[in-house]
Amino acid sequence: RHFSAEISIDGEPAHLEVNHPYAANWAEDYYLASYDMQSPQPQYCIVQIVREPLKHLMLLGIVMMLCGSCLLFLAGPDRRENLHFEWFAISAIVFWLSGALFALFSKERSRWAILLTLLGITVFAVFIAGFWLNLHRPPLRTMGETRLWYSFFMGISGLLTYIRWKYPWILCFSTVVGAVFAIINILKPEIHDQSLMPALQSPWFIPHVTIYMFSYSVLGCAFIMSCMGLFKHNSNYLEAIDKQVYTGVAFLTVGMLT
């Protein structure tokens, strides 16, 4: 038998089915728990409201544990000399691509798109942290390492743009740009040593490069949106582009001062 109900939540219509809750927001779901069983034509239904503010973090943790187990199995026992960047990069690209597809084919802002993109960013962050510990220095010295940071911040910039302005295509472009830099690092691995020239041993070197990479990624998103606006002959992108340029230039200035 099929059980469903049509209700109104804050003036908005909502369709409920058994085991198919209505998601009001990130932390609140409405479940169809029961109905008027005394009347042949039910006059009311019983709705259970479940609030779980941390449910997406729990799901993220479960997926991260599964990914970590797979990566440990694929990497093998010798992990000190080679962190197997290719497995981290491929995993992140798969998550980013899946999130981009969810965003592209969703009429509204997709929670799965945000969650999957966030998972890809988390995979990159885990690799950067492990790489940092393995090198005993910040991974900011070579071209390969700066490409790594650019891919990482490109994912963050694309996600923030999608959350703020809900452009469904922005995650596709940020995924392509981030994946290109990650694939270059896979195809052309560079030798990393633990020595740094004296000019790069300053404590200001870390915020200088990281802020620069973030500003470049924000300005890159602004450039992508401007190209899309020119292609579609649509001026609605100007407000978002303007704010991104302001943000990118502000971070670029801070990076210059550091």
Side-chain angles (χ1 to χ4, degrees):
R1 300 180 64 181
H2 183 73
F3 298 94
S4 64
E6 300 291 336
I7 64 173
S8 176
I9 302 174
D10 295 330
E12 296 290 333
H15 178 75
L16 298 181
E17 294 184 18
V18 176
N19 296 326
H20 291 82
Y22 173 80
N25 52 52
W26 279 79
E28 191 172 276
D29 293 320
Y30 288 72
Y31 288 84
L32 179 60
S34 185
Y35 65 98
D36 179 14
M37 293 183 288
Q38 304 298 324
S39 173
Q41 296 293 329
Q43 301 299 313
Y44 64 88
C45 65
I46 300 175
V47 177
Q48 181 182 13
I49 303 175
V50 178
R51 293 186 176 91
E52 294 180 288
L54 301 179
K55 65 178 180 180
H56 297 289
L57 289 178
M58 293 169 56
L59 180 60
L60 177 64
I62 294 172
V63 174
M64 286 180 63
M65 290 176 63
L66 293 174
C67 292
S69 301
C70 294
L71 290 173
L72 286 175
F73 175 77
L74 294 172
D78 185 12
R79 299 183 299 275
R80 293 175 296 177
E81 299 299 328
N82 185 3
L83 293 179
H84 297 279
F85 169 70
E86 60 273 13
W87 296 114
F88 286 90
I90 292 172
S91 301
I93 292 172
V94 169
F95 283 131
W96 286 343
L97 183 59
S98 302
L101 292 176
F102 269 103
L104 196 61
F105 293 104
S106 297
K107 295 181 179 179
E108 299 179 353
R109 186 168 53 194
S110 171
R111 293 181 297 172
W112 277 107
I114 296 173
L115 180 62
L116 290 169
T117 305
L118 187 60
L119 277 172
I121 294 171
T122 304
V123 170
F124 248 88
V126 170
F127 176 79
I128 291 174
F131 194 37
W132 192 322
L133 295 174
N134 188 59
L135 290 176
H136 301 287
R137 65 166 177 82
L140 299 164
R141 179 172 180 265
T142 65
M143 285 297 296
E145 292 166 3
T146 54
R147 285 195 293 262
L148 179 68
W149 283 98
Y150 190 79
S151 296
F152 174 68
F153 283 123
M154 197 67 202
I156 294 177
S157 300
L159 179 61
L160 293 178
T161 304
Y162 177 70
I163 293 175
R164 174 61 180 84
W165 288 288
K166 303 178 184 178
Y167 295 126
W169 47 265
I170 190 65
L171 290 182
C172 294
F173 285 96
S174 63
T175 297
V176 169
V177 175
V180 166
F181 282 92
I183 291 171
I184 292 175
N185 274 9
I186 294 175
L187 298 178
K188 294 185 177 181
E190 299 180 5
I191 299 174
H192 307 283
D193 56 54
Q194 298 178 5
S195 61
L196 282 174
M197 61 182 68
L200 301 181
Q201 294 179 4
S202 168
W204 292 102
F205 177 67
I206 300 174
H208 171 76
V209 177
T210 53
I211 292 173
Y212 257 14
M213 289 299 102
F214 181 72
S215 67
Y216 290 159
S217 63
V218 173
L219 293 173
C221 279
F223 173 74
I224 293 170
M225 293 179 67
S226 64
C227 292
M228 183 61 68
L230 289 172
F231 177 75
K232 291 187 173 182
H233 302 285
N234 191 339
S235 61
N236 294 332
Y237 297 103
L238 289 177
E239 180 185 357
I241 295 171
D242 189 54
K243 291 182 179 179
Q244 285 189 327
V245 169
Y246 275 121
T247 304
V249 172
F251 277 96
L252 191 66
T253 305
V254 173
M256 234 187 306
L257 294 176
T258 56

